[in-house]
Amino acid sequence: DYGDTNVTRLYKMQISNPSNIELYAYEEDPADSFKYDNKTKQSKVKISEMSCLGDNTLLIDERVTHTTKLYKVDLSKGTPVPTDKVDTIETDMSGVTPLKKTLLATQSSPKKIEGVANLDGTHFLLINDNDFGIENDPEVAKVVELNSSK
C-alpha cells in the first residue's frame, strides 16, 4: 500500500511479556542492486524468509525473483522506531534509524528462495518455491555455509 517504499517493519516481542513490543525499520536494498533487470520495481523486493540466529539476531532473505541476498541483522544494536513515527515510517523516515544489516551472501540458486533453515549456525538449508514444478527447476534445496559471526 506504500508504493515504492523500501521500508519494512520488523517487530520484536518478549514471550514473557507479550505487551512489550518494539518496532524496527528495516530498509530493503534498491531493486536495481539485484541486477535482475532494470525494469524491476521496488515493490518487487521481498523479505521472503527470516531465520533466528540468536535471541536478537536474524538472518533475512531479501530477494527479487531469481536473486537472493542473505543479511544478518542484530536487533540489540538497533534503535526502535519512536512512538510518534510508528504510523509514518514507510513514507517519512526523519528521526528514524533503520537497522544496520551485514551482507552474508548473494545466491542465485536455488531460484526464488523462500525458506531458510538454520542447521547449526554456520550451515543453512535454502529451499526454493518451485511453483509446483511448473518451471522444471531441478534444484529445490541447497546447503550453504555462511559466516554468521561477521
Side-chain angles (χ1 to χ4, degrees), residues 67-86:
T67 304
T68 294
K69 296 179 184 181
L70 298 170
Y71 283 102
K72 177 182 172 182
V73 173
D74 187 344
L75 299 177
S76 70
K77 295 181 180 175
T79 304
V81 173
T83 54
D84 64 328
K85 292 291 187 176
V86 167

Side-chain angles (χ1 to χ4, degrees), residues 1-60:
D1 293 345
Y2 296 103
D4 280 344
T5 185
N6 68 331
V7 179
T8 296
R9 295 166 177 249
L10 292 182
Y11 291 91
K12 176 183 172 185
M13 179 184 74
Q14 286 184 347
I15 293 174
S16 61
N17 183 4
S19 63
N20 185 4
I21 298 173
E22 294 176 325
L23 168 64
Y24 295 87
Y26 178 90
E27 287 185 311
E28 298 164 344
D29 284 358
D32 62 0
S33 74
F34 287 84
K35 297 184 176 40
Y36 179 63
D37 64 36
N38 60 3
K39 298 175 193 164
T40 301
K41 296 180 182 178
Q42 189 63 40
S43 61
K44 296 297 183 185
V45 178
K46 297 173 176 39
I47 293 178
S48 63
E49 182 67 25
M50 288 187 278
S51 181
C52 187
L53 297 173
D55 286 345
N56 289 294
T57 311
L58 300 170
L59 177 70
I60 295 181

